[in-house]
Amino acid sequence: IRNEDNLNDELKFQLMMLSEIIRVPGKYLLPYIDRIDTLLSSLVQHSSKEGNILTGAVLRNTLRSLTQTCPVEYKSSAAGYDRDLTTYQPLTDWGKSGDIHSLEIDWYIPGQEEVLVAHKLMNKVLGPQLVTIGEYTANKKVLSKEELASSISFISESIVGSGVFMANWKDEIVNLKASQVDLSQRSHIVFPGVNPDLTHNSSNARQEIVMVMHKLLSFQLANFPDDTKSLRGISTIYQSLLFFTGVPKVEYDARWRSFQATKKAMENKLLGSKKIIRAILVDRCHLQHESRMIGNSNRDFTKTHQLIYDDLLLLATNHYSEVRIKGQEVLGRGMKHFSHSYQLLVPKLVELLKKDENISHEQFKGALYVILGSKGKSLLTKHNWETFAALCPAVIEASHSEKPSIIKVFSALQETVVHHLETITINFAMPDKVAQQALHLWDKVENQNNLKLTLNPSLPKPSEQEILDGQKHMDENNIKASNVFAVIVDKLCSQLESGKLHWRHYNAGVSILAVLTRYDKKMPARAVKIMVNNLIHDNIVVRKTSIHNMAALMKQNKRPHVTIERAIEKTEENIQPGNRKDNQWLQYSPENWPKTKEQWNSPNFVHKTHFGYYHWPEKMTVYAAEDKQPNLDRSLQEMTDQELEIFQFLQDETNLQKLIEFLSLEENKGRDKFDSRKFLMWKGIFRNFGFKVLEKLKEPLEKLSDDQQESSQRCASEMMAGLIRGSKHWTWEMTENLWSWLVPVLRKLLGNVTVETIRDWGICFATASESRDPNRIHWMLEVLMEEPLRSQGSFLDSSRLYVLQGAMAQQEWRVGGLLHRLDRFLNPFLTHPYQNVRERLGSVMANIYALDIHFTSGTGGALSPNISDLLSEVLPKLELMKVEPDPEIYNYNKNSKTGTDIDQKSFEDICSKLDPELAMKVREQGLEQLKSIISRFPGGSIPSPGVVPPSGTRMPPPQILRMPSAETLKKIPPELQKMLGPGMLRMASPEMLNMMRPNLVPGGKKPTPRPGMSPPELLLPPQLLSAIHEVSLNTPQSGLLAEKWEERQSGVRLLQTVCKLVSGVLLRNWYTVKPELFKVLEMLALNESSELEPDLARDCNVALACLSTCIVPLKVLSTALTAVEHVSQSSSWKAKNAMLEFLQVHVFTNMAAFHSQTEEAARVVNIVTRLIKDDRIEVREKAGKVLGGMLHCSFISEEVASKLLGQFKLEVSKKIKKKPKANEDASLFQDKQSKAILMRHSGVLGLSAFVLSCPYDIPPHLPDILMLLADHLHDPQPIPATVKNVFQEFKRTHQDNWAEHKQKLTEDQLATLTDLLVSPSYYA
């Protein structure tokens, strides 16, 4: 071997096998140790790379086998298998759980002989290598890179092999953290008796290796800095010396994961906890032993550790990346392992971050990576203010580099601080109560059966003086931490104000300053000034950070508000949830509105909605009058320095204008949303400074509200929400002035919202209403309640409802009167012609009835609307929806809307119904021009005219109708320009103009129309459209059909609204289904599959799904089944089919309720068995499937199932006459035969249900049913088709286990089934 340059493949394979074979307990290795020693002596001299790796594996595994304690066996039984087989059957131990209290593990514990052999073998390999490296570093010997790498590898393998018995060195301990308790290392017992120590030359082997490696590192860096392999080897050796005490952590973690996976796969939870086989328990014990060895890794930081840290820092900042990565890995693990050891590195890291020509780019980058750490565990996030104070300014002032690698690590550092820096304690407090409890530990000693239940403290009880000294020490530390925090903030402010920072470093400094904002320490005025001025910074990241931080700064400067106790007259002993006499003063009503200063200052306003509904707190507190609250109308001298900086910034017109411009900029088109951070900033501003700030913001806020730009309105919504919420503690005069200005602004903006900003305004008003007493914001609620539906267009109507819903929903139970008013107002509009308005109406109505809650003691929402009242009013109007529609009226509507056949007489009639100006324009263009315009509508059909506002409805004020621009007018088709003329075009609303011009998008393509709408390319004036519509319907027959059509459409629209209401009530509200909701079941079932009204069908389907999946109370169960029975007797087969689908889901959802109510369960079975005999085949088949599901889940008892089976067999057995008698009437015979076929088909479906109820099994009664069904394969249709489908399904569900299933069939039955299920061969 010594004479060969490279090992041949045979020898490498043998070495590989040997390295694995020797991984056995050391006692089995002793007979062969001399041969292994001889082999190692030969191989150590070899210099090939493969030889070194394999030799190292043999050395490592030999030493580990000789030194490690481990189990010898993993048998299922501790007694073993070598027993008399006449009395012992090994199979009885299969799967038997081990007894954790008596495992009787046979452990291998290294003896004296094994330790001596290991010591000899280690020194034989380790000694020469250390001597060789020592001579190399003293320039007495020359080594090639390969030889040096081989020596380092053997040293590393020696440590990993014999590290169990390599004792930690004893050296001077470095005090890293002053502590009142002993922080020295505590070790686990991992060896019986005295732990052996494998020394080198009678000295500590680990320390000897450290010294040699330290010299080697210095020598290599000075002479061969490019030898990266040796430098990485040194890092590996340092890692083993620091952390290895018997098992590598990586190997232990891998084994632990493998154990957990095996345990999860093998455990049987039915047997209980820890009832698993003995082998797994033995493995768990071995893992526990290894975890103790890992825990014995030395944690006492000594001078030698400090030397290693210095070397590792050199490696972590090396020129070569692979060396840096390994060094940073080991150093990071060391800082995690040795508590507070990172403090020793901080001064050197700060030096490496300075702008110095002697510091290379690689050293700078390495230092940044050391500070960054891994997985968010950065040195900047340590709970140590001194470390942060040293590193943070150094990082901010670090030399800038445009290299991507530096930018990457610097950005990662910034993100780590922003996302992982916790609120580190500054002032630590120890309550006296906790100290007293701690002192009781010396007094309480509990015993039970002579066993101590409490442990005595190891130290004597502290004296009073020691406690006082500790208190003094804690106070000193608090003062020190406060001073350090102030220095950090001051240093950061100086850096940010210097103007010398690169923009990337400036961003990082602002972000860190924002993160340092705390609840318990006010930021100085200097920091506040920086943040306020950065609100108008050119960099968007800086602006966003400042906006986010402003809310916290405003919170810091919030002055406490005085509260007083409010006496509650508790008139009832057992308080019932909901509306009561004692909480009437919380209700929203004109009597409770504050109309004077005295009423505004009365203690009758509670802003949290949960108070008073269920119960009252022991002490009910409300805010005191305004004269006891902090003054908002202050002079500059009365403000703090922090407040002064903010106020002066807001009083500057230039700053304010620039701030509004930045806040109203669009960031991501189509993705911007209402920003809660900006809202919180405005809320804090208005709360802290009152009306003075508003004076400067009135005009900008009005301009933003009037602007049609999406970003401008979003900015206005954020400011508006902040203004309303921030005015919570304003005085009466301020509040009165606020709302006198704000109410007209609100009225105007509600007619100005756009499709893009409606969601933002909804959030605005919902946020403004949240946690606010409704009586204190009654101005806003009343503005929103001013005729929510004004017939100004579908979008404006739905948007007003949306914002009202958001504000109303936040108040919950306290706005019963408002809900009643809204309910009365919206009822006439339930048949609104626009679909999006109806959908919003349904959602709003669901909120209106959200408090219709009934508790066991009575109703909870006595003052809120009741859904039963609405249904009693609506149901009579929906009677026509219980009848299938007449297709004739749909055909009429389809044909009547074509306007191209208008004759001259009709043309004159149309003109006579118009205003003179419009009539003159229409006559000028003539009949052909009108036909040409109509022909451009989709399909040449005239759209229905818009809804006429009901009497008493206010029309929009003239100022809302804006004059269209010349560019807008140019986009209107010329035909319509000629007909309408410039005068009428100038009076057109923007919404109408948008619809009049061609709906083109960039690229010239037409947009896809919205579902349920067919937007025409042109829009005729409503008056002209109504006239054409009226004249075209002016015939007796068409008038009657038109009346039926309108009546039908009114019912359709009303039912759609009710569907949305039902879905909203069942999905969003806090109570179970009301019995009244089942009254709409019939019309839902009838229309859920309507082909004439697909939108209605979809809504009915959703409502049915919600109704079927709700949990039904026991007292409502009978009502629900009565409704189902009623629908099941309907003349419409579609309604019956829908009801069977509903019943199936309803039964499975409420299975427990039906099991407890046997009478109701019997009613369900009767419904299904009746419908299985229905005249319509679709209903029969559906009923059969439902019956099969009920049988499968044991909904039907065995007794009832047996009766049903007999009944179905009887129906199937009745004969069907094939020919009539000689003198029998043919039609009468045909009728009888049809009834007989129907009866037999229902019986076949019933038997099929029994087959389908057993998809993965063959119970005893099933073979006979199969044979009975097989006899009817040639009956009249549709019986054969049903039988074939049943057998196909039977084959599909039973083919996986057919070998087992066919054992339950006789040979004749099997032959019959084979003929049915197996297709005949082509060659048969």
Side-chain angles (χ1 to χ4, degrees):
I1 295 176
R2 291 179 181 177
N3 298 327
E4 294 183 9
D5 293 333
N6 293 304
L7 300 179
N8 58 45
D9 292 341
E10 180 183 358
L11 186 56
K12 286 191 285 187
F13 176 75
Q14 290 173 348
L15 282 174
M16 188 183 301
M17 291 294 294
L18 176 64
S19 65
E20 295 301 319
I21 290 173
I22 59 179
R23 296 179 65 175
V24 296
K27 62 182 179 181
Y28 303 115
L29 205 59
L30 287 177
Y32 310 98
I33 202 67
D34 292 335
R35 298 173 64 183
I36 295 173
D37 186 8
T38 304
L39 179 64
L40 286 174
S41 299
S42 302
L43 287 171
V44 166
Q45 304 299 325
H46 204 274
S47 60
S48 69
K49 181 179 179 181
E50 296 87 350
N52 289 336
I53 294 173
L54 294 172
T55 304
V58 173
L59 173 64
R60 179 184 66 245
N61 292 339
T62 302
L63 290 173
R64 288 189 68 178
S65 297
L66 291 169
T67 57
Q68 284 202 333
T69 302
C70 61
V72 175
E73 48 79 26
Y74 289 83
K75 294 180 289 189
S76 298
S77 173
Y81 310 114
D82 301 329
R83 288 181 277 173
D84 186 3
L85 294 181
T86 58
T87 57
Y88 166 68
Q89 294 295 326
L91 192 61
T92 57
D93 287 337
W94 184 87
K96 185 178 180 181
S97 59
D99 184 3
I100 59 172
H101 301 291
S102 180
L103 282 178
E104 301 180 20
I105 302 176
D106 184 9
W107 290 91
Y108 163 69
I109 300 174
Q112 187 67 26
E113 187 178 358
E114 288 95 329
V115 173
L116 290 174
V117 169
H119 196 181
K120 176 183 176 183
L121 191 60
M122 182 198 75
N123 281 321
K124 193 171 184 179
V125 176
L126 182 62
Q129 303 302 331
L130 293 177
V131 171
T132 300
I133 292 177
E135 293 175 351
Y136 171 71
T137 56
N139 284 322
K140 296 179 181 179
K141 188 174 185 179
V142 177
L143 295 177
S144 66
K145 289 184 178 181
E146 291 74 16
E147 291 172 335
L148 179 60
S150 175
S151 295
I152 293 174
S153 174
F154 284 128
I155 294 173
S156 178
E157 298 291 4
S158 299
I159 299 171
V160 175
S162 56
V164 179
F165 292 154
M166 269 191 180
N168 293 311
W169 58 82
K170 304 295 183 182
D171 199 357
E172 180 185 351
I173 295 178
V174 179
N175 187 16
L176 298 172
K177 179 74 173 178
S179 176
Q180 301 296 104
V181 296
D182 184 14
L183 298 179
S184 59
Q185 168 83 1
R186 264 67 167 182
S187 299
H188 300 288
I189 296 175
V190 295
F191 190 83
V194 179
N195 205 44
D197 184 10
L198 303 183
T199 60
H200 177 256
N201 295 333
S202 301
S203 59
N204 187 278
R206 290 179 185 262
Q207 197 165 19
E208 285 287 320
I209 297 172
V210 169
M211 296 307 169
V212 172
M213 289 300 108
H214 174 65
K215 293 178 182 178
L216 176 62
L217 177 61
S218 302
F219 183 82
Q220 289 295 97
L221 291 177
N223 299 284
F224 305 102
D226 60 340
D227 188 1
T228 58
K229 184 177 291 186
S230 64
L231 295 178
R232 292 182 75 251
I234 293 172
S235 297
T236 303
I237 288 177
Y238 277 151
Q239 179 176 345
S240 300
L241 290 171
L242 288 173
F243 312 117
F244 184 79
T245 53
V247 58
K249 186 70 166 61
V250 177
E251 179 183 321
Y252 172 80
D253 292 339
R255 282 199 57 216
W256 180 259
R257 289 192 294 270
S258 175
F259 164 77
Q260 292 290 351
T262 306
K263 177 186 174 184
K264 189 173 183 179
M266 300 287 288
E267 68 180 344
N268 185 354
K269 293 184 178 181
L270 295 176
L271 297 178
S273 177
K274 300 180 182 178
K275 297 294 184 180
I276 48 182
I277 61 175
R278 181 177 178 273
I280 296 178
L281 294 175
V282 172
D283 194 27
R284 178 66 181 85
C285 292
H286 189 200
L287 283 170
Q288 183 65 32
H289 171 70
E290 289 184 344
S291 70
R292 290 182 173 183
M293 288 196 296
I294 292 174
N296 278 350
S297 179
N298 183 23
R299 295 178 185 271
D300 292 334
F301 198 85
T302 64
K303 290 290 186 180
T304 305
H305 286 98
Q306 190 170 354
L307 180 68
I308 295 175
Y309 264 42
D310 293 340
D311 289 350
L312 287 174
L313 185 59
L314 289 174
L315 293 167
T317 56
N318 190 265
H319 179 79
Y320 296 97
S321 60
E322 59 265 33
V323 178
R324 288 200 306 272
I325 291 171
K326 185 62 179 179
Q328 290 159 11
E329 177 191 340
V330 179
L331 190 57
R333 188 174 169 187
M335 288 187 290
K336 183 179 178 182
H337 186 78
F338 297 98
S339 300
H340 308 286
S341 61
Y342 58 86
Q343 297 177 22
L344 299 174
L345 300 175
V346 171
K348 297 180 180 179
L349 291 172
V350 171
E351 290 296 323
L352 291 172
L353 293 178
K354 289 181 178 179
K355 297 177 182 179
D356 192 338
E357 294 180 357
N358 297 324
I359 297 174
S360 67
H361 164 76
E362 288 76 16
Q363 288 177 306
F364 177 68
K365 183 164 62 173
L368 287 178
Y369 271 107
V370 171
I371 296 172
L372 177 62
S374 62
K375 299 179 181 179
K377 304 296 183 183
S378 170
L379 293 184
L380 287 171
T381 60
K382 295 289 186 183
H383 285 215
N384 190 302
W385 284 117
E386 289 80 6
T387 300
F388 191 86
L391 288 178
C392 181
V395 171
I396 298 299
E397 287 184 343
S399 58
H400 171 67
S401 173
E402 286 297 335
K403 290 188 176 182
S405 58
I406 297 291
I407 295 173
K408 178 182 176 182
V409 65
F410 187 83
S411 301
L413 260 175
Q414 178 185 345
E415 291 296 316
T416 300
V417 175
V418 170
H419 295 293
H420 297 284
L421 181 63
E422 299 171 353
T423 306
I424 308 171
T425 304
I426 293 179
N427 292 322
F428 186 83
M430 175 70 75
D432 293 337
K433 185 184 293 185
V434 176
Q436 293 300 323
Q437 291 294 327
L439 290 172
H440 288 325
L441 293 174
W442 279 267
D443 303 331
K444 291 183 178 179
V445 179
E446 299 179 8
N447 293 312
Q448 184 177 355
N449 299 328
N450 295 323
L451 293 175
K452 289 185 177 180
L453 300 180
T454 55
L455 296 177
N456 291 330
S458 57
L459 298 176
K461 186 175 182 178
S463 62
E464 288 292 333
Q465 185 59 43
E466 288 177 320
I467 295 175
L468 292 175
D469 292 343
Q471 180 69 42
K472 181 181 178 182
H473 183 67
M474 183 176 68
D475 294 338
E476 291 173 352
N477 286 340
N478 290 343
I479 295 172
K480 182 181 177 182
S482 298
N483 294 336
V484 173
F485 177 78
V487 169
I488 293 172
V489 174
D490 188 64
K491 180 64 176 175
L492 276 174
C493 292
S494 299
Q495 291 175 326
L496 294 173
E497 292 170 349
S498 66
K500 299 178 181 179
L501 296 179
H502 183 270
W503 67 266
R504 189 174 288 110
H505 293 246
Y506 185 88
N507 292 0
V510 172
S511 299
I512 293 174
L513 188 60
V515 170
L516 290 175
T517 306
R518 308 166 55 90
Y519 72 96
D520 57 349
K521 286 287 181 183
K522 262 193 180 184
M523 296 298 279
R526 195 177 176 190
V528 173
K529 183 177 181 179
I530 292 173
M531 284 297 173
V532 173
N533 290 332
N534 281 337
L535 290 175
I536 53 175
H537 196 276
D538 292 335
N539 191 309
I540 187 172
V541 176
V542 175
R543 289 202 307 273
K544 283 185 173 182
T545 304
S546 301
I547 290 170
H548 194 189
N549 191 236
M550 277 300 295
L553 294 177
M554 301 306 300
K555 191 80 172 178
Q556 279 188 345
N557 291 281
K558 176 186 176 182
R559 292 171 294 168
H561 293 89
V562 181
T563 58
I564 58 174
E565 185 175 358
R566 212 272 191 191
I568 304 296
E569 297 180 5
K570 299 178 181 179
T571 57
E572 304 174 16
E573 293 183 3
N574 298 322
I575 296 183
Q576 175 190 338
N579 301 117
R580 304 181 303 274
K581 291 181 180 180
D582 60 343
N583 61 20
Q584 287 300 300
W585 59 281
L586 293 176
Q587 285 294 319
Y588 178 79
S589 65
E591 295 79 18
N592 293 334
W593 293 352
K595 302 182 181 67
T596 63
K597 184 175 182 179
E598 290 72 22
Q599 293 175 347
W600 178 260
N601 290 318
S602 62
N604 292 331
F605 303 105
V606 178
H607 296 286
K608 300 297 182 183
T609 56
H610 59 276
F611 284 121
Y613 185 81
Y614 290 101
H615 210 278
W616 294 104
E618 291 295 327
K619 182 180 179 181
M620 183 67 202
T621 58
V622 296
Y623 287 107
E626 62 184 46
D627 57 349
K628 297 180 181 178
Q629 302 294 355
N631 182 25
L632 286 171
D633 190 11
R634 294 177 289 168
S635 63
L636 297 181
Q637 290 75 21
E638 294 177 293
M639 296 182 184
T640 63
D641 294 340
Q642 293 90 337
E643 290 176 318
L644 198 59
E645 295 292 346
I646 301 172
F647 186 76
Q648 288 177 344
F649 174 86
L650 294 172
Q651 292 300 303
D652 189 306
E653 296 282 353
T654 307
N655 291 342
L656 209 55
Q657 182 181 356
K658 203 170 181 181
L659 175 62
I660 297 296
E661 288 176 2
F662 279 131
L663 293 178
S664 58
L665 284 177
E666 186 175 55
E667 291 183 31
N668 301 305
K669 186 165 183 65
R671 292 186 292 173
D672 289 342
K673 296 179 181 179
F674 184 95
D675 195 338
S676 60
R677 294 172 297 181
K678 296 176 183 176
F679 151 72
L680 290 172
M681 179 186 73
W682 287 116
K683 175 188 173 184
I685 289 172
F686 289 118
R687 177 191 63 219
N688 290 12
F689 298 108
F691 201 78
K692 281 187 176 181
V693 179
L694 181 60
E695 291 292 345
K696 297 277 187 180
L697 291 169
K698 281 184 178 180
E699 185 178 348
L701 191 51
E702 290 177 3
K703 287 182 180 179
L704 291 171
S705 302
D706 290 341
D707 196 345
Q708 292 292 320
Q709 290 292 328
E710 176 186 353
S711 55
S712 298
Q713 289 207 10
R714 181 173 297 110
C715 177
S717 67
E718 293 158 355
M719 293 177 66
M720 196 80 73
L723 172 59
I724 298 174
R725 284 284 294 276
S727 62
K728 176 179 177 181
H729 296 291
W730 285 14
T731 63
W732 168 248
E733 290 78 11
M734 289 182 180
T735 306
E736 199 171 26
N737 292 334
L738 165 67
W739 288 106
S740 63
W741 165 78
L742 191 56
V743 166
V745 175
L746 291 178
R747 287 194 181 117
K748 192 174 181 180
L749 73 84
L750 287 175
N752 233 4
V753 296
T754 64
V755 177
E756 294 83 6
T757 60
I758 178 58
R759 179 177 177 83
D760 300 320
W761 285 113
I763 298 174
C764 165
F765 287 106
T767 306
S769 179
E770 181 187 6
S771 296
R772 289 299 309 274
D773 191 301
N775 294 301
R776 279 217 170 191
I777 54 171
H778 70 272
W779 298 273
M780 182 187 80
L781 296 177
E782 290 304 309
V783 169
L784 297 179
M785 280 292 294
E786 289 176 356
E787 300 177 34
L789 295 175
R790 302 186 178 192
S791 301
Q792 297 176 5
S794 63
F795 172 70
L796 282 179
D797 283 354
S798 62
S799 63
R800 289 184 66 91
L801 285 174
Y802 176 66
V803 297
L804 173 60
Q805 182 182 13
M808 176 186 66
Q810 299 296 327
Q811 298 298 336
E812 298 176 354
W813 64 281
R814 297 175 60 172
V815 287
L818 185 144
L819 296 178
H820 274 292
R821 286 166 51 198
L822 186 59
D823 187 29
R824 289 193 297 270
F825 178 84
L826 295 180
N827 272 349
F829 293 94
L830 295 180
T831 58
H832 200 282
Y834 293 118
Q835 181 176 350
N836 57 341
V837 178
R838 292 196 301 273
E839 290 178 354
R840 182 54 57 188
L841 270 172
S843 180
V844 173
M845 298 294 279
N847 277 105
I848 289 175
Y849 301 112
L851 272 300
D852 186 16
I853 306 174
H854 287 270
F855 297 96
T856 54
S857 55
T859 180
L863 300 180
S864 301
N866 197 316
I867 195 172
S868 59
D869 298 335
L870 174 72
L871 291 175
S872 61
E873 182 180 346
V874 166
L875 285 175
K877 302 176 184 178
L878 289 174
E879 284 297 320
L880 69 141
M881 301 305 296
K882 294 182 179 179
V883 182
E884 291 196 11
D886 185 0
E888 184 181 356
I889 62 175
Y890 282 89
N891 292 332
Y892 155 76
N893 179 69
K894 182 179 180 181
N895 299 327
S896 66
K897 288 190 175 183
T898 303
T900 55
D901 56 350
I902 298 175
D903 55 16
Q904 188 63 38
K905 182 178 180 303
S906 300
F907 180 70
E908 292 298 330
D909 291 341
I910 291 171
C911 293
S912 66
K913 298 179 180 294
L914 303 176
D915 291 338
E917 182 184 358
L918 181 58
M920 182 178 66
K921 294 292 181 183
V922 173
R923 284 193 178 96
E924 286 179 3
Q925 298 301 318
L927 175 60
E928 295 304 320
Q929 183 68 23
L930 180 61
K931 287 184 178 181
S932 174
I933 293 174
I934 293 175
S935 65
R936 296 182 62 179
F937 284 97
S941 299
I942 306 170
S944 300
V947 64
V948 179
S951 59
T953 301
R954 283 192 313 180
M955 295 303 291
Q959 60 267 27
I960 290 183
L961 296 176
R962 302 187 178 191
M963 301 295 284
S965 63
E967 293 182 2
T968 304
L969 295 177
K970 288 178 182 178
K971 298 178 181 178
I972 300 174
E975 298 91 341
L976 204 54
Q977 288 188 33
K978 292 178 182 179
M979 177 168 287
L980 298 178
M984 297 202 66
L985 282 173
R986 289 286 176 186
M987 294 303 295
S989 65
E991 187 179 16
M992 180 182 292
L993 289 169
N994 289 333
M995 297 180 68
M996 282 195 287
R997 60 175 178 258
N999 293 322
L1000 294 178
V1001 295
K1005 298 180 181 179
K1006 292 185 179 181
T1008 305
R1010 286 185 293 172
M1013 296 182 65
S1014 298
E1017 296 186 13
L1018 307 169
L1019 180 69
L1020 292 175
Q1023 189 182 15
L1024 178 57
L1025 196 62
S1026 299
I1028 297 172
H1029 198 74
E1030 183 179 349
V1031 171
S1032 64
L1033 301 179
N1034 195 17
T1035 63
Q1037 183 181 2
S1038 63
L1040 180 62
L1041 290 175
E1043 184 180 348
K1044 289 184 178 179
W1045 167 255
E1046 290 300 331
E1047 184 182 4
R1048 176 70 187 178
Q1049 286 304 299
S1050 177
V1052 167
R1053 293 194 292 267
L1054 180 58
L1055 184 55
Q1056 280 186 294
T1057 308
V1058 171
C1059 288
K1060 295 294 181 183
L1061 168 64
V1062 170
S1063 304
V1065 164
L1066 295 176
L1067 291 176
R1068 299 206 310 263
N1069 289 348
W1070 303 311
Y1071 48 80
T1072 55
V1073 61
K1074 301 281 185 182
E1076 293 82 7
L1077 292 181
F1078 288 101
K1079 294 180 181 179
V1080 300
L1081 196 60
E1082 182 177 3
M1083 54 199 76
L1084 294 178
L1086 184 63
N1087 294 281
E1088 69 94 23
S1089 58
S1090 174
E1091 297 176 357
L1092 298 172
E1093 295 286 350
D1095 291 338
L1096 175 63
R1098 184 192 66 242
D1099 293 337
C1100 290
N1101 213 325
V1102 173
L1104 275 175
C1106 297
L1107 203 57
S1108 63
T1109 54
C1110 63
I1111 304 296
V1112 179
L1114 292 179
K1115 60 182 180 181
V1116 183
L1117 203 59
S1118 178
T1119 305
L1121 283 182
T1122 301
V1124 172
E1125 287 175 339
H1126 179 69
V1127 180
S1128 68
Q1129 296 170 358
S1130 170
S1131 58
S1132 169
W1133 70 269
K1134 292 182 179 179
K1136 296 177 183 176
N1137 220 31
M1139 198 42 50
L1140 284 168
E1141 187 74 37
F1142 171 87
L1143 186 63
Q1144 185 176 23
V1145 180
H1146 178 70
V1147 166
F1148 294 151
T1149 304
N1150 297 275
M1151 182 73 74
F1154 279 107
H1155 274 305
S1156 65
Q1157 304 288 321
T1158 54
E1159 294 181 0
E1160 310 303 337
R1163 291 174 66 184
V1164 172
V1165 177
N1166 290 336
I1167 294 172
V1168 176
T1169 52
R1170 174 163 49 81
L1171 291 179
I1172 209 172
K1173 301 173 184 177
D1174 194 81
D1175 294 339
R1176 193 81 181 193
I1177 185 173
E1178 291 90 342
V1179 178
R1180 295 199 299 274
E1181 289 179 346
K1182 186 65 182 178
K1185 289 182 180 178
V1186 174
L1187 181 62
M1190 292 179 178
L1191 290 167
H1192 177 65
C1193 65
S1194 302
F1195 177 79
I1196 301 175
S1197 64
E1198 293 184 4
E1199 182 182 355
V1200 176
S1202 178
K1203 290 181 181 179
L1204 287 176
L1205 182 60
Q1207 178 184 340
F1208 292 140
K1209 287 182 178 180
L1210 183 63
E1211 291 172 356
V1212 169
S1213 63
K1214 292 181 180 178
K1215 294 184 177 181
I1216 300 176
K1217 293 182 180 180
K1218 296 183 179 181
K1219 295 181 180 180
K1221 295 180 180 178
N1223 56 352
E1224 189 175 3
D1225 184 21
S1227 61
L1228 184 62
F1229 170 77
Q1230 187 69 27
D1231 185 47
K1232 289 182 178 178
Q1233 190 183 41
S1234 298
K1235 290 182 179 180
I1237 292 173
L1238 188 152
M1239 186 62 65
R1240 178 172 291 183
H1241 186 229
S1242 67
V1244 168
L1245 286 170
L1247 295 176
S1248 303
F1250 277 90
V1251 175
L1252 298 178
S1253 68
C1254 309
Y1256 307 111
D1257 192 17
I1258 299 184
H1261 64 271
L1262 195 60
D1264 294 337
I1265 298 176
L1266 292 172
M1267 296 303 103
L1268 194 58
L1269 289 173
D1271 294 339
H1272 297 280
L1273 193 58
H1274 303 289
D1275 283 3
Q1277 289 293 350
I1279 298 174
T1282 301
V1283 173
K1284 287 180 181 178
N1285 290 335
V1286 171
F1287 278 107
Q1288 287 175 359
E1289 186 67 17
F1290 175 80
K1291 179 182 179 181
R1292 184 185 68 82
T1293 56
H1294 290 78
Q1295 62 181 356
D1296 291 343
N1297 296 319
W1298 183 241
E1300 177 185 347
H1301 292 325
K1302 69 181 182 180
Q1303 303 296 329
K1304 300 181 181 180
L1305 302 171
T1306 64
E1307 291 185 4
D1308 293 341
Q1309 291 171 343
L1310 194 57
T1312 304
L1313 278 180
T1314 303
D1315 292 341
L1316 288 170
L1317 299 177
V1318 180
S1319 301
S1321 173
Y1322 176 80
Y1323 300 100

